[in-house]
Amino acid sequence: MRLTLMTDYALRLLMHVAQRPERLCTISEVAQAYSISEANLMKVTHQLALQGWIETVRGKGGGMRLAREPKQIHIGAVIRGLESD
């Protein structure tokens, strides 16, 4: 199985956010940590939020956090939600 870049970015984003449960993470922070464009991460963030994996907070001081406990997030389910085949 080959994963798309979108799925790769989504998994990186989830790992980054899971390691910082005490605060909101920003797209620019994740983009800088993994050398990914912010435009691509915005698309990934939108998809993860639509599927209920993360919660987003808009505005100044906003960001994202996991919508559930890390142990309740199964990689297979995330991949199936993002991959078309």
Side-chain angles (χ1 to χ4, degrees):
M1 171 195 276
R2 295 186 67 182
L3 301 178
T4 62
L5 273 179
M6 181 174 180
T7 301
D8 179 34
Y9 296 163
L11 295 176
R12 290 172 191 251
L13 185 142
L14 288 172
M15 289 187 297
H16 187 88
V17 173
Q19 293 173 347
R20 293 152 183 85
E22 71 284 351
R23 65 181 180 81
L24 294 172
C25 296
T26 64
I27 288 175
S28 60
E29 167 190 335
V30 178
Q32 186 175 8
Y34 294 106
S35 300
I36 302 170
S37 82
E38 290 187 29
N40 285 337
L41 274 181
M42 287 182 6
K43 294 175 190 174
V44 169
T45 300
H46 180 70
Q47 285 301 312
L48 290 173
L50 285 176
Q51 294 180 24
W53 299 113
I54 61 172
E55 296 175 345
T56 58
V57 177
R58 296 183 65 159
K60 185 173 180 172
M64 63 192 121
R65 64 177 156 248
L66 293 179
R68 51 185 92 174
E69 292 295 316
K71 61 185 166 187
Q72 294 177 330
I73 298 176
H74 301 278
I75 299 299
V78 174
I79 292 171
R80 282 188 298 277
L82 295 169
E83 294 288 329
S84 60
D85 56 349

